[in-house]
Amino acid sequence: MKRFIQTGLVVALASAGLAQAATELVIATVNNGHMIEMQKLTPVFEKANPDIKLKWVTLEEGTLRQRVTTDIATKGGQFDVMTIGLYETPIWSKKGWLKPIATDAAYDVDDILPAIRSGLSMDGKLYAAPFYGESSMLMYRKDLADKVGIKIPDQPTWAQVKEFADKANDPKAGVFGMCLRGKPGWGDNMAFLTTLVNTNGGQWFDMKWQPQIDTKPWKDAITFYVDMMKKDGPPGASANSFNENLALFNEGKCAAWVDATIAASFISDPKQSKVADKVAYAQAPVAVTPKGANWLWSWNLAIPASSTKDDAAQKFIKWATSKEYIQLVAKETGWNTVPTGTRKSTYANPEFQKVAKFAEAEKKAIDSANPNDSTLPKSPYVGVQYAAIPEFQAIGVAVGQQMSAALSGKVTVEQALKTSQTAAEREMKKGGYYK
């Protein structure tokens, strides 16, 4: 009898131990400022959910894409929550690789900005929840524009912006006229360059899925970019992406920068930026057409179908993408640092409007981006700065390497376009789009 009681006690204690063992959620995310802030707030979530422990895997953007794509395609099950983009979500949800996000009334899915919500939904269900959304816009030094006597309109042309960059460029004083992405990658330099191609009247593929890279609009756009960056860009621009240009801008080394609207939160923050009080904002510059001149993107949290920790993952995602989370960040670090581009309520908040001088320009850019109509000639694909087909990643990477090589002077623009065209044709034939 005594032995039975002891055995029962051991079993009871073991059960109690099991009950207390927290579920570990492995979260793959990108090393951007807002995600790093989310990690800092881990204790807040864990305190409210003592049965869940968060384990972060933080990666550079290109590495993150490779790791999560490989893991989800092979059903590797390494991650319970993945940070994925507007590009992957529709492709992966169609393949059945993602679990739908279980939203309730408190989550208020109708509060999500329509352009972002529609890109993350299929058959009325949300397959990834937006952590922050963005378009692209021009951020520039108003003090330098005044100094060189140039007034930048709300919707500038690339010619106007180049004139400003030329005049403001002063390398001896440590100021470069223009900072733009040069680091190769479909989500790095090609995100920006695709918008430049779009506004010059170009596209990735025509209605027969034939690549259109070796064409006049592409040549015009890439020649303009290479010439301007050689004249007005910082040294080593072919290695710079978002984070590198953000650091340069915050140090006061960029007169102008066209990139993600989300950057405005950081460059307007006096704790991070030496020029916080000198920045102004305008819509992304246009050339031949306004179509596709500014991109649309969101970083989102999603649950791979292979995850066995669905309940915990759903809890975490709803917390990190809720209205309450935005309030929490505002309380911790100020309204000018909250993740933006996802909820109407953020833009309607008077506290946010008071500190975010960029709010109007940012929301206007996001609302005006149209992934279903982003090129002057009709295109068969959805997406502004990408084509939402599985083959695009490989094509975008190959083309990005050629454009970076052209920027660094290793090849001519003509050679880069010709090589890119051949690579794109090969991938599209392999994908069965044409013979």
Side-chain angles (χ1 to χ4, degrees):
M1 184 71 178
K2 191 176 175 186
R3 191 173 162 206
F4 177 75
I5 292 167
Q6 282 175 334
T7 308
L9 187 64
V10 169
V11 170
L13 287 169
S15 302
L18 284 172
Q20 284 166 2
T23 301
E24 186 181 72
L25 273 188
V26 183
I27 305 164
T29 196
V30 66
N31 65 341
N32 290 351
H34 285 308
M35 274 66 176
I36 290 162
E37 185 58 38
M38 175 168 55
Q39 290 170 55
K40 286 180 190 167
L41 294 170
T42 293
V44 179
F45 176 79
E46 289 181 345
K47 192 178 174 185
N49 300 274
D51 55 333
I52 303 171
K53 287 276 169 262
L54 306 182
K55 184 184 176 186
W56 296 92
V57 179
T58 308
L59 303 161
E60 185 271 329
E61 192 170 315
T63 312
L64 173 84
R65 292 186 203 284
Q66 289 167 352
R67 288 273 301 273
V68 299
T69 302
T70 303
D71 189 63
I72 203 159
T74 58
K75 297 183 171 63
Q78 264 188 298
F79 308 114
D80 302 301
V81 175
M82 292 177 166
T83 305
I84 65 172
L86 208 56
Y87 162 76
E88 293 92 349
T89 307
I91 298 172
W92 292 2
S93 54
K94 272 183 197 153
K95 287 178 181 278
W97 290 354
L98 300 174
K99 293 184 180 183
I101 305 297
T103 56
D104 52 23
Y107 184 74
D108 194 3
V109 77
D110 292 332
D111 187 45
I112 297 172
L113 295 174
I116 302 286
R117 184 182 166 187
S118 69
L120 300 173
S121 300
M122 187 177 74
D123 302 330
K125 287 180 184 170
L126 199 64
Y127 277 85
F131 183 67
Y132 74 79
E134 64 184 40
S135 183
S136 52
M137 66 180 174
L138 170 68
M139 295 158 280
Y140 67 97
R141 290 275 299 278
K142 177 75 166 56
D143 59 327
L144 296 181
D146 292 344
K147 187 180 167 186
V148 298
I150 285 185
K151 186 167 168 49
I152 305 269
D154 179 50
Q155 177 60 85
T157 64
W158 270 110
Q160 288 170 317
V161 171
K162 186 178 184 302
E163 187 192 358
F164 169 53
D166 288 347
K167 287 186 175 176
N169 190 48
D170 189 358
K172 281 180 186 169
V175 177
F176 303 98
M178 177 59 73
C179 290
L180 294 170
R181 297 184 183 197
K183 187 179 183 179
W186 71 264
D188 280 299
N189 62 344
M190 292 320 299
F192 166 71
L193 287 174
T194 301
T195 63
L196 190 60
V197 167
N198 291 341
T199 195
N200 273 279
Q203 62 189 151
W204 275 99
F205 310 102
D206 67 11
M207 289 305 287
K208 292 178 179 173
W209 289 106
Q210 293 278 352
Q212 298 296 299
I213 302 165
D214 203 5
T215 58
K216 187 179 184 295
W218 273 80
K219 190 177 178 184
D220 291 348
I222 306 305
T223 302
F224 175 84
Y225 163 74
V226 168
D227 289 350
M228 179 169 61
M229 290 304 285
K230 279 182 178 169
K231 186 177 179 186
D232 300 327
S238 60
N240 291 351
S241 188
F242 176 85
N243 285 332
E244 292 80 8
N245 285 322
L246 174 61
L248 285 168
F249 199 100
N250 280 347
E251 283 296 314
K253 292 179 178 177
C254 300
W257 180 28
V258 179
D259 210 304
T261 52
I262 204 76
S265 303
F266 308 121
I267 62 174
S268 63
D269 178 9
K271 290 178 199 154
Q272 301 179 52
S273 170
K274 290 180 179 175
V275 292
D277 59 340
K278 299 177 175 69
V279 189
Y281 309 92
Q283 296 304 293
V286 297
V288 174
T289 174
K291 281 193 176 190
N294 53 298
W295 71 59
L296 185 69
W297 185 254
S298 60
W299 279 117
N300 319 284
L301 300 175
I303 306 169
S306 58
S307 175
T308 55
K309 300 167 186 173
D310 189 53
D311 287 351
Q314 295 277 5
K315 257 186 203 175
F316 170 73
I317 288 175
K318 276 192 274 191
W319 173 79
T321 62
S322 65
K323 289 191 243 188
E324 291 73 26
Y325 177 83
I326 290 165
Q327 295 275 352
L328 173 66
V329 176
K331 189 179 141 204
E332 294 289 325
T333 56
W335 271 104
N336 60 323
T337 64
V338 301
T340 56
T342 59
R343 289 186 170 272
K344 299 172 197 169
S345 53
T346 304
Y347 294 95
N349 188 299
E351 295 294 314
F352 176 69
Q353 288 171 4
K354 207 186 294 176
V355 296
K357 291 175 187 166
F358 55 84
E360 193 184 338
E362 177 181 65
K363 188 168 185 292
K364 188 176 177 183
I366 292 170
D367 289 345
S368 69
N370 185 354
N372 297 304
D373 184 22
S374 63
T375 56
L376 192 56
K378 209 164 183 290
S379 294
Y381 54 87
V382 172
V384 182
Q385 76 282 20
Y386 56 84
I389 57 171
E391 292 75 12
F392 181 74
Q393 279 200 49
I395 292 169
V397 168
V399 176
Q401 285 164 347
Q402 288 300 313
M403 299 307 121
S404 189
L407 180 57
S408 63
K410 288 174 187 164
V411 297
T412 64
V413 169
E414 288 77 7
Q415 286 169 325
L417 294 175
K418 201 174 175 186
T419 306
S420 298
Q421 177 74 15
T422 305
E425 285 173 359
R426 189 172 57 242
E427 284 293 329
M428 294 304 277
K429 280 176 188 169
K430 202 164 79 180
Y433 287 83
Y434 60 86
K435 288 177 182 174

